[in-house]
Amino acid sequence: MRARRWLGAALVATVGLLAPPARAEDPPRVTCSATRVGRRVVVRPEAFALVAPELERLMRLGLAGRLEVELTLLRRRALWFSEQVDATRLTQVLAWSSKEGGWVLDGRPLGVKPEPLELERVAWVLEEEPEAEKTFVVEVGVRLQVVTAASLGKVARWLTQAEKTEAERSSLTRGLLRTVAEDLTRGAEGRCTVQSL
């Protein structure tokens, strides 16, 4: 009997060693395309691999993701730091909709797979038309957070039936909630050169 157990354990261990490794999760990334016509600059950002499998499971259960997009328009300067010309910050809601049968971004249907995730297009108008040799760059930062520390605190309060407010919670508890919330956050940064048309 003991020999059979040992043989079974050895077989399970061998199969585990010979099994193909799990596919590595792609890191999130963001790209953009930007064009300038006269004084108008238009940016079209896209995000890839932003919704990780564990986040997708939570979102399909009904949680919504807060998507923060930050775009910065920079003018390149020779032998010096780039100069910030303009910046825009957007907050959007990414959610799974059973009614739509797919993903929605601020109510706009995206389909069954949120990839690439076409983010809100942004347009800026420059104060004056730049000289032809001036070069512009757009930096894009994207952050998706499905659960916030405050919402985790509400769940913990509900589970423990406690009436404590945020101020009454210990700093250890607040730190733990922030850590868990950060684990459920994904982000990426990217940049693109503005093409003059």
Side-chain angles (χ1 to χ4, degrees):
M1 186 73 164
R2 194 180 281 175
R4 271 192 211 162
R5 266 193 239 149
W6 182 85
L7 185 60
L11 183 61
V12 168
T14 305
V15 168
L17 289 173
L18 296 177
R23 190 174 153 258
E25 191 176 293
D26 292 334
R29 64 185 175 90
V30 64
T31 63
C32 64
S33 62
T35 55
R36 181 181 66 81
V37 178
R39 293 172 41 217
R40 186 176 166 86
V41 178
V42 178
V43 185
R44 291 178 178 84
E46 290 183 330
F48 297 86
L50 201 58
V51 182
E54 67 272 7
L55 293 182
E56 184 173 345
R57 280 191 291 277
L58 288 172
M59 294 172 81
R60 283 180 181 255
L61 289 172
L63 295 177
R66 185 178 70 205
L67 187 64
E68 294 176 353
V69 183
E70 191 168 342
L71 298 106
T72 307
L73 178 63
L74 303 168
R75 179 184 297 129
R76 282 198 175 147
R77 297 189 291 187
L79 305 173
W80 197 244
F81 296 108
S82 297
E83 172 190 11
Q84 181 175 325
V85 177
D86 212 334
T88 300
R89 182 181 210 119
L90 304 169
T91 301
Q92 298 177 290
V93 176
L94 178 66
W96 172 262
S97 170
S98 299
K99 181 182 173 186
E100 295 285 338
W103 295 91
V104 292
L105 182 63
D106 274 355
R108 174 176 53 103
L110 298 175
V112 179
K113 275 288 192 190
E115 188 154 320
L117 181 57
E118 294 179 12
L119 305 171
E120 192 70 33
R121 187 174 63 165
V122 174
W124 291 297
V125 178
L126 303 173
E127 290 181 9
E128 55 187 42
E129 189 166 343
E131 299 164 11
E133 68 273 0
K134 295 288 183 186
T135 306
F136 293 89
V137 173
V138 176
E139 291 182 345
V140 182
V142 178
R143 186 170 185 254
L144 175 66
Q145 186 173 29
V146 175
V147 180
T148 64
S151 65
L152 284 174
K154 288 178 186 173
V155 170
R157 201 167 46 247
W158 177 77
L159 289 173
T160 60
Q161 301 298 317
E163 295 297 324
K164 290 184 177 179
T165 63
E166 181 69 29
E168 294 171 321
R169 277 193 211 109
S170 72
S171 60
L172 178 63
T173 304
R174 284 194 304 272
L176 179 63
L177 292 176
R178 267 195 304 276
T179 301
V180 172
E182 286 300 317
D183 282 346
L184 296 173
T185 301
R186 283 174 63 94
E189 295 180 351
R191 61 178 6 203
C192 58
T193 303
V194 177
Q195 305 296 320
S196 299
L197 299 179

